[in-house]
Amino acid sequence: MNVSRIALAAGVAASSVLLLSSTAFAHVTVQPQGEAAKGGYATVNFKVPNERDNASTVKLEVSLPTNHPMASVMPQPVPGWKAVVTKTKLAKPLEVHGKQITEAPSKITWTADGGKIGPGEFQQFPVSLGRLPEDTEQLVFKALQTYDNKEVVRWIEEAKEGAEEPEKPAPVLKLAAATDAHGGAAKGAEATNADAKNTGADAKETASTDDTDTTARILGVVGILVGAAGVAFGVLAGRRRSA
């Protein structure tokens, strides 16, 4: 194979990688900034890329799962965007901190207010969620992405186990077991304490070694001085005998 054929093959491979990468990462997704543990609170990001070369995203609507409602949903302000949280009455009230909650957030809508997501750009929309449900392994957030040319992309398809990823998959947030999260924290604390103890022991050992070295040096100096004094005494004694 000559050099030109190698260059051509490399170019085709690189183009394929770029094409596949842009397709794989062009979805609206939800990403936890920290660990999303069951029964706790978490801050997540709805990441919205712009898939069009000739239009900008100006609106995002995210539906919150009503089968696993959350009492607290607080969007973080995003410059150039206005966020509105819509609430819905619950068929079955939630009990949070001993209080009955009869309605819960069901949708968040971000509308461009001086901002936009242009071609080749993406935007993240942070939200605080809680309390996260304990009776499911994941939360599905169906989303609608609207462009300034009136096109609406519906990210609402739920992935099925064993099947290929849908063309327009809905954002999914995986939930970790609360015990695992706490256990991990405890193990981390134990490791930190162990490291601290080891560090303390090392420090003591180092200090002990330093003390030993210092004592040895002092004794050595004293020995030299004593030896010098003995030599001087011997010289003086010899002179006296000669006299």
Side-chain angles (χ1 to χ4, degrees), residues 8 12 14 74 78-79 93 127 136 144 151 157 162 175 223-224 237 241:
L8 178 60
V12 172
M74 295 185 294
V78 176
V127 182
T136 184
L144 302 182
E151 179 188 4
E157 299 175 12
L175 300 180
I224 292 173
R241 291 194 187 101

Side-chain angles (χ1 to χ4, degrees), residues 34-172:
E35 186 172 26
K38 297 179 181 179
Y41 292 78
T43 298
V44 303
N45 274 330
F46 288 97
K47 184 177 180 180
V48 184
N50 194 320
E51 295 184 306
R52 303 295 179 259
D53 296 329
N54 57 354
S56 297
T57 298
V58 293
K59 187 177 182 180
L60 175 68
E61 300 171 79
V62 175
S63 295
L64 306 173
T66 55
N67 56 337
H68 299 292
M70 291 166 286
S72 175
V73 174
M74 295 185 294
Q76 179 176 315
V78 176
W81 295 81
K82 180 181 179 181
V84 175
V85 178
T86 303
K87 293 186 176 182
T88 300
K89 289 186 178 181
L90 299 174
K92 182 181 179 181
L94 288 175
E95 185 172 340
V96 180
H97 301 302
K99 296 182 179 180
Q100 293 289 326
I101 306 297
T102 58
E103 64 177 11
S106 58
K107 185 171 69 171
I108 311 173
T109 302
W110 286 272
T111 306
D113 186 18
K116 64 179 181 179
I117 309 174
E121 299 177 343
F122 76 92
Q123 178 66 56
Q124 297 190 92
F125 298 94
V127 182
S128 174
L129 302 175
R131 296 178 53 183
L132 297 176
E134 301 182 60
D135 57 349
T136 184
E137 302 300 319
Q138 64 181 28
L139 294 175
V140 179
F141 301 93
K142 297 183 178 182
L144 302 182
Q145 180 180 9
T146 302
Y147 289 87
D148 55 8
N149 62 359
K150 307 303 180 182
E151 179 188 4
V152 177
V153 180
R154 302 168 63 84
W155 302 97
I156 62 173
E157 299 175 12
E158 297 188 39
K160 296 181 180 180
E161 188 175 356
E164 294 184 359
E165 184 183 42
E167 183 180 356
K168 302 295 180 184
V172 175

